[in-house]
């Protein structure tokens, strides 16, 4: 939903902070400096967006209520800017500041979007075939695997295997570390293996599934 649909406008293009990679430092006796260990994850970032709106004095509070409902609504939320339409941020949560009346009919407030540090590609959010996602030119990705078929199968990614009892359909979400059916029924007990081992690494990836099962992948391409 665009800001304008709820009666508010973005005052100015916000500054976007760069994410920081998570890392641990280990001190090794006899070695100069510390050993830095990166685990392929990044810290969240905070994006502050200032909104403004014009309203009749007796509708001032109503516009702000509608804006809060929009910004604090439930469900998956993406933050996307019109000057960068091919990418979006995954929003963790939003905090909203004070609604200031800068003039009799003008209001202004700031919303802070706490987002995953990576930018996600719009194209990476669509379902694709195995051959289309073998090569990852971006940052390490946490894909969603959609399997159809009947019985037990083995999903193998870069030499790592997850066993799955499919039962017509099964979705394996490596970002959420959860498995479920198409109707939303949880199916965590139907899989065995490590979700982290199914990530798509930078560069070439080997992906295969037991014969007789169909596999589609939402790669969730992302970059720093």
């Amino acid at each position: 939903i665009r800001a304008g649909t709820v009666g508010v406008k973005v005052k100015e293009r916000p500054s976007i902070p760069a994410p920081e990679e998570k890392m641990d430092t280990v001190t090794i006796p006899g070695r100069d400096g510390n050993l830095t260990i990166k685990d392929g994850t990044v810290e969240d970032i905070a994006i502050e967006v200032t909104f403004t709106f014009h309203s009749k004095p007796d509708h001032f509070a109503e516009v702000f209520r509608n804006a809060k409902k929009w910004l604090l609504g439930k469900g998956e939320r993406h933050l996307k800017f019109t000057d960068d339409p091919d990418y979006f941020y995954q929003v963790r949560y939003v905090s909203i500041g004070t609604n200031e009346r800068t003039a009799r009919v003008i209001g202004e407030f700031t919303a802070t979007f706490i987002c995953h540090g990576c930018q996600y590609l719009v194209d990476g959010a669509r379902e694709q075939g195995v051959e289309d996602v073998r090569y990852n030119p971006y940052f390490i990705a946490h894909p969603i695997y959609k399997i159809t078929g009947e019985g037990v199968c083995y999903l193998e990614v870069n030499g790592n295997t997850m066993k799955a009892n499919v039962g017509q359909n099964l979705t394996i979400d490596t970002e959420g570390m959860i498995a479920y059916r198409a109707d939303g029924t949880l199916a965590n007990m139907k899989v065995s293996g490590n979700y982290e081992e199914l990530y798509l690494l930078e560069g070439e990836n080997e992906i295969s599934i037991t014969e007789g099962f169909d596999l589609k992948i939402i790669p969730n391409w992302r970059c720093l």
Side-chain angles (χ1 to χ4, degrees):
I1 299 177
R2 293 177 178 269
T5 61
V6 293
V8 300
K9 297 188 295 185
V10 176
K11 184 177 182 180
E12 58 189 4
R13 212 323 182 155
S15 300
I16 309 295
E20 294 184 4
E21 290 188 77
K22 293 181 181 178
M23 61 184 71
D24 293 321
T25 56
V26 179
T27 301
I28 300 177
R31 182 184 188 277
D32 291 332
N34 295 320
L35 178 64
T36 302
I37 302 174
K38 299 181 180 180
D39 63 2
T41 61
V42 296
E43 301 285 356
D44 288 345
I45 59 172
I47 302 176
E48 291 190 356
V49 180
T50 300
F51 293 94
T52 185
F53 62 90
H54 292 72
S55 172
K56 294 179 180 179
D58 56 345
H59 291 162
F60 194 85
E62 183 65 22
V63 174
F64 188 45
R65 279 194 292 269
N66 289 336
K68 288 185 290 183
K69 181 179 179 181
W70 167 56
L71 291 168
L72 302 176
K74 296 180 180 180
E76 187 174 22
R77 290 171 292 173
H78 295 163
L79 176 62
K80 184 165 65 172
F81 299 100
T82 55
D83 60 355
D84 195 16
D86 296 329
Y87 294 83
F88 64 88
Y89 290 94
Q90 286 190 356
V91 180
R92 307 286 203 197
Y93 63 91
V94 183
S95 62
I96 301 174
T98 303
N99 184 21
E100 298 182 5
R101 194 187 294 262
T102 59
R104 185 169 181 270
V105 294
I106 300 175
E108 181 177 303
F109 65 92
T110 298
T112 302
F113 295 82
I114 305 301
C115 304
H116 190 291
C118 289
Q119 274 189 296
Y120 287 76
L121 279 77
V122 172
D123 186 60
R126 65 179 179 86
E127 199 172 285
Q128 302 180 44
V130 174
E131 294 302 322
D132 299 320
V133 303
R134 288 190 187 278
Y135 183 74
N136 176 11
Y138 309 104
F139 191 59
I140 183 172
H142 299 173
I144 296 173
Y145 297 93
K146 293 190 172 185
I147 306 170
T148 54
E150 189 62 50
V152 175
C153 75
Y154 295 88
L155 172 62
E156 186 169 315
V157 180
N158 297 321
N160 303 305
T161 301
M162 176 168 279
K163 180 181 177 182
N165 189 347
V166 178
Q168 297 185 343
N169 69 79
L170 186 70
T171 297
I172 300 172
D173 182 348
T174 65
E175 175 74 26
M177 295 190 177
I178 192 172
Y180 52 90
R181 306 292 188 193
D183 62 3
T185 303
L186 292 179
N188 293 332
M189 300 302 293
K190 300 297 183 180
V191 299
S192 60
N194 295 319
Y195 291 98
E196 301 100 315
E197 294 181 346
L198 302 182
Y199 293 163
L200 296 177
L201 307 178
E202 295 181 53
E204 292 288 345
N205 290 269
E206 292 296 327
I207 308 168
S208 63
I209 197 166
T210 302
E211 186 175 352
F213 291 82
D214 182 66
L215 176 63
K216 297 296 183 182
I217 304 171
I218 299 174
N220 289 328
W221 297 136
R222 57 189 195 160
C223 58
L224 297 176

